[in-house]
Amino acid sequence: ERERKRKRELEKERVCKREKERMNGVGKRGLAFPLYFAGSVQQGFGRGGKTLGCPTANLSPTSFQGGDLLEVANGVFYGWAQVNWTRVGDGMKKKAGEVYPMVMSIGWNPHFDDLTEKTVEAHLLHQFEEDFYGEELRVVATGYIRDQEKYDSLDALKAAIQNDIDTARARLQDVDNSQYAKDPFFIG
């Protein structure tokens, strides 16, 4: 009974810490939501789509518009994203894309433990017909879901990712979050 009570107290502390980060900002400087990112989509390891069934658009750590990415807490976030296309027709004109819901990982990917720099990986909740490497991606993160974790298996990681997607979809329907789909940061 004592052990069960101790576990409940630890879980409460974790939930309180996460809620505090969500409400008061995330990271060392108490950064407040929303968090803005913009940059060209880079080639990653390719495991998002192939290994995990969850393709991601990778951004440079310098894509964070609020300073140093190292100041942002590691974790899984949700919000909105827009791909702005340059490969339009025969020319290289820029075309503003649709704004889609997204879920995003920021950190060191502890499950794979093979990174040399902190990453920003967004999974747009939309089925694209083609890759968009090199295209501009704009992201507005409006909330925090959870810390990054190392899982016992690939299946456990896949299940957590699916839960993150479901959580993001639900939270983005909230009026406070849905308003950011029309943020002036997006081109349109």
Side-chain angles (χ1 to χ4, degrees):
E1 173 68 273
R2 186 179 286 169
E3 181 64 22
R4 196 170 348 142
K5 187 175 182 179
R6 188 176 77 73
K7 284 182 180 180
R8 276 196 307 260
E9 289 301 314
L10 287 173
E11 181 60 24
K12 280 183 190 176
E13 286 176 21
R14 268 202 307 265
V15 168
C16 287
K17 178 184 172 204
R18 288 178 185 158
E19 258 328 276
K20 185 177 177 185
E21 287 176 336
R22 185 181 73 76
M23 294 172 69
N24 295 328
V26 292
K28 298 174 186 166
R29 291 186 294 141
L31 301 170
F33 289 112
L35 303 176
Y36 294 94
F37 300 82
S40 294
V41 176
Q42 301 178 336
Q43 189 91 33
F45 288 98
R47 58 184 167 224
K50 294 176 188 139
T51 305
L52 301 173
C54 177
T56 58
N58 302 292
L59 291 173
S60 162
T62 61
S63 67
F64 177 50
Q65 304 295 295
D68 187 349
L69 185 64
L70 293 174
E71 297 291 325
V72 178
N74 296 337
V76 179
F77 299 78
Y78 58 90
W80 303 94
Q82 176 188 47
V83 178
N84 295 309
W85 302 91
T86 54
R87 296 176 295 202
V88 179
D90 296 328
M92 292 295 285
K93 296 180 187 173
K94 183 168 243 168
K95 177 184 173 211
E98 298 286 323
V99 175
Y100 297 106
M102 68 85 201
V103 63
M104 156 171 97
S105 172
I106 298 175
W108 298 93
N109 295 345
H111 185 79
F112 295 102
D113 194 28
D114 59 358
L115 298 177
T116 58
E117 65 182 354
K118 195 169 182 176
T119 63
V120 177
E121 301 174 77
H123 171 67
L124 282 65
L125 304 181
H126 176 77
Q127 185 69 40
F128 289 90
E129 292 183 25
E130 61 182 302
D131 289 334
F132 43 89
Y133 296 117
E135 300 295 349
E136 181 193 51
L137 180 67
R138 291 178 174 244
V139 174
V140 177
T142 61
Y144 183 83
I145 298 174
R146 64 174 176 84
D147 295 335
Q148 287 188 326
E149 299 176 39
K150 183 171 178 74
Y151 291 91
D152 293 332
S153 69
L154 203 52
D155 286 338
L157 174 58
K158 288 178 181 180
I161 290 170
Q162 186 57 55
N163 188 55
D164 296 337
I165 290 169
D166 295 342
T167 300
R169 285 186 196 278
R171 290 185 183 172
L172 287 167
Q173 290 180 16
D174 179 82
V175 172
D176 289 338
N177 286 310
S178 64
Q179 69 181 344
Y180 287 104
K182 293 178 175 42
D183 193 288
F185 182 68
F186 295 122
I187 296 171

